Amino acid sequence: MESTRTLKDKVFLVLKGLGMGAANKVPGVSGGVVAFVAGFYEEFIYSLKKINRKAFKLLINGRFRSFYHYINGRFLSLLFSGMIISYFSVSKLLDYLIKHYELYVWSVFFGMIIGSIYYINKDFKVWNYKTYITLALGILTGLSISFLNPATQNDNLWFVFFCGIISVSGMTLPGFSGSFILILMGNYVLLLVDSVNALYDTFLNIIVGDFSFIYNDERLRMLQVLAMFTLGSVTGLVTFSHLLSFILKHYKDITISAIIGFIIGSLGVVWPWKKTIFKLDPSGQYIFDSAGEKVVENYQRYLPQLNVETLYAIFFIILGVVIVLILEWYGQRTRRVKS
């Protein structure tokens, strides 16, 4: 599979990683949808599935080249490179856009979800009572998650490990937003803001030769939390990939119908017209994270009025649909070339 990839394909794979990384960070949006629509979802799951006992044996025996080839290493390294770059670039831009143009950003994502539903549904022909039931269950699950109230923050390391396992669901399961799940579990700020900022500050300290952070108990605790979250994420990524690979192989039709349901249900999370509800302390004051931003508790949805702002939002919804159609066109073109 690697030998057939041109330089252009590799560049686009990094860009797809950028897209997945940005989508994974935004609450309500699933990076798995990007993988599904862009035509590399099954290869992604297949490659992750290869991280198994045989892969670890190759690694322990020092057969690094064989290990890299066995796990489809170039594909994974390019994709994850894009995700990492995204976290420190595109996702930062998204943070800015959401802060200043929230309605229009959510409108684009809403359109992308609609486009994704069209894309997956148009090629799915196996509709029967089983697939209709799993479709309904998927929709109900997605909508139920949309309207749950979040828990309080919990930095217990075992819970953080569990959060890591759950958070990667958005990467492997289209329609499930790992970031939104973290909000519901109460640990979005702790794991995707505070601990990441602690790591960033630590890198800066090391670069300038300042090692005073080793005496900072709060910093060390945040790094410990991030390490446990990363371990949980890796565990979840490998576990989910093996499970999904088995399910896709043996129950592909009901899995696809469930994914369509999840994605339809996720429209409730990315509904553009919503008011952000921020967390308050017992005295009624806003709670701020380590970056000085207000902590999001949930969203209050409402129906829009017909005005210029709403018309702009509708334009951005259409733009979101167009983006998915372009991704679909490129995915189909790539598959035709490889076949």
Side-chain angles (χ1 to χ4, degrees), residues 186-294:
N187 274 3
Y188 178 82
V189 172
L190 175 71
L191 300 175
L192 294 187
V193 179
D194 292 349
S195 61
V196 173
N197 286 342
L199 180 65
Y200 181 74
D201 291 340
T202 301
F203 277 139
L204 287 180
N205 291 152
I206 293 172
I207 289 169
V208 299
D210 177 9
F211 294 92
S212 60
F213 66 86
I214 63 175
Y215 303 107
N216 185 330
D217 291 339
E218 185 178 350
R219 176 80 66 83
L220 293 177
R221 177 62 176 177
M222 283 295 99
L223 293 175
Q224 193 178 24
V225 164
L226 183 60
M228 187 60 77
F229 177 66
T230 303
L231 184 61
S233 298
V234 172
T235 303
L237 205 57
V238 175
T239 305
F240 273 124
S241 62
H242 280 78
L243 179 62
L244 282 170
S245 179
F246 175 83
I247 293 173
L248 280 168
K249 184 177 179 181
H250 295 90
Y251 308 100
K252 186 167 185 176
D253 295 337
I254 61 172
T255 303
I256 300 299
S257 63
I259 286 173
I260 295 172
F262 292 149
I263 296 174
I264 293 172
S266 73
L267 286 171
V269 182
V270 293
W271 177 252
W273 293 277
K274 57 180 174 245
K275 179 183 177 184
T276 306
I277 301 171
F278 297 102
K279 278 191 175 182
L280 303 174
D281 63 20
S283 64
Q285 300 298 313
Y286 288 118
I287 298 173
F288 296 89
D289 61 34
S290 63
E293 301 293 334
K294 295 176 186 175

Side-chain angles (χ1 to χ4, degrees), residues 19-249:
M20 278 191 79
N24 280 325
K25 192 182 177 186
V26 177
V29 185
S30 163
V33 171
V34 176
F36 212 106
V37 174
F40 64 94
Y41 179 74
E42 291 198 28
E43 183 179 359
F44 179 55
I45 296 300
Y46 167 82
S47 301
L48 291 175
K49 183 195 168 191
K50 294 296 234 175
I51 303 175
N52 52 27
R53 187 178 299 173
K54 181 178 176 180
F56 283 113
K57 276 186 179 179
L58 291 171
L59 194 60
I60 292 167
N61 292 330
R63 297 173 61 187
F64 302 116
R65 188 183 293 273
S66 298
F67 167 79
Y68 187 76
H69 180 73
Y70 178 73
I71 65 167
N72 200 11
R74 185 169 296 173
F75 169 82
L76 288 178
S77 60
L78 288 169
L79 196 63
F80 281 110
S81 294
M83 290 184 200
I84 293 168
I85 293 168
S86 167
Y87 203 87
F88 295 101
S89 58
V90 177
S91 59
K92 296 292 182 186
L93 176 62
L94 266 176
D95 289 342
Y96 172 83
L97 291 174
I98 287 176
K99 185 175 180 179
H100 295 90
Y101 305 98
E102 185 176 14
L103 174 62
Y104 303 139
V105 173
W106 285 119
S107 297
V108 171
F109 284 128
F110 190 77
M112 290 179 73
I113 298 296
I114 292 173
S116 302
I117 294 166
Y118 160 76
Y119 163 75
I120 299 171
N121 184 61
K122 75 180 179 63
D123 293 326
F124 186 71
K125 309 297 182 186
V126 192
W127 288 111
N128 53 48
Y129 78 95
K130 288 182 181 178
T131 52
Y132 278 121
I133 289 172
T134 51
L135 173 73
L137 289 173
I139 294 171
L140 286 172
T141 303
L143 286 174
S144 298
I145 290 172
S146 303
F147 294 98
L148 284 174
N149 289 319
T152 55
Q153 183 171 294
N154 184 348
D155 69 349
N156 178 279
L157 293 181
W158 284 112
F159 184 71
V160 167
F161 179 78
F162 179 67
C163 286
I165 292 175
I166 297 300
S167 70
V168 296
S169 61
M171 199 182 296
T172 53
L173 191 57
F176 266 24
S177 167
S179 296
F180 190 72
I181 295 294
L182 285 180
I183 285 180
L184 295 179
M185 296 176 82
N187 274 3
Y188 178 82
V189 172
L190 175 71
L191 300 175
L192 294 187
V193 179
D194 292 349
S195 61
V196 173
N197 286 342
L199 180 65
Y200 181 74
D201 291 340
T202 301
F203 277 139
L204 287 180
N205 291 152
I206 293 172
I207 289 169
V208 299
D210 177 9
F211 294 92
S212 60
F213 66 86
I214 63 175
Y215 303 107
N216 185 330
D217 291 339
E218 185 178 350
R219 176 80 66 83
L220 293 177
R221 177 62 176 177
M222 283 295 99
L223 293 175
Q224 193 178 24
V225 164
L226 183 60
M228 187 60 77
F229 177 66
T230 303
L231 184 61
S233 298
V234 172
T235 303
L237 205 57
V238 175
T239 305
F240 273 124
S241 62
H242 280 78
L243 179 62
L244 282 170
S245 179
F246 175 83
I247 293 173
L248 280 168
K249 184 177 179 181

